[in-house]
Amino acid sequence: MPAPSLAPATVGCIWNTMAAMASLRFHQFTDTHLYAAATGAMRGQPTLPSFVSALQQAAGFPAPTALLLTGDLVHDEPGGYAHFHTLLDASPVPVHLIPGNHDDPAALAAGFATPFLLGGSHRYSAGDNRWL
């Protein structure tokens, strides 16, 4: 039995979609677990200096279309969101924030505007606690 083939129009459509996607570049940072205090640490590792180091390393790569920051952005301390303002308010590209289970979505929604975009969801379930 011969292998199925794609019609030329289908191949062109797939190729055009792939070419358009190739022009998008994201830098993703996840589970930063920042604290209100700059010295906050998780499991003995200071989280703010680690995030700053990751940002510095990413600066060595080609410029992104957008930044993706995925939960957990902070570790149960909404005061940690101030560090994102300090570091990223001047971002020349959009900064997409997706909260995790240690984040406060209401504090995120109230405290961030351009270049920050809040969206996405995180599914969490533990005992009787469930949220999307």
Side-chain angles (χ1 to χ4, degrees):
M1 174 181 269
S5 63
L6 295 174
T10 303
V11 172
C13 178
I14 292 170
W15 179 254
N16 290 338
T17 300
M18 290 173 60
M21 290 174 62
S23 66
L24 298 176
R25 183 180 313 271
F26 299 96
H27 289 177
Q28 180 181 7
F29 303 90
T30 191
D31 292 281
T32 53
H33 287 275
L34 299 186
Y35 294 84
T39 57
M42 173 167 270
R43 297 187 178 122
Q45 179 66 42
T47 58
L48 181 58
S50 294
F51 179 48
V52 169
S53 176
L55 288 171
Q56 291 168 340
Q57 290 178 37
F61 291 96
T65 304
L67 300 178
L68 302 176
L69 281 76
T70 53
D72 297 311
L73 305 174
V74 300
H75 194 80
D76 302 324
E77 294 184 10
Y81 295 129
H83 299 298
F84 292 101
H85 284 292
T86 301
L87 296 168
L88 300 171
D89 268 354
S91 174
V93 297
V95 179
H96 296 270
L97 305 172
I98 300 174
N101 64 303
H102 288 282
D103 288 302
D104 182 339
L108 275 171
F112 288 90
T114 303
F116 298 94
L117 303 166
L118 178 61
S121 64
H122 175 83
R123 293 177 190 261
Y124 172 74
S125 176
D128 294 332
N129 301 314
R130 299 174 201 280
W131 54 276
L132 172 65

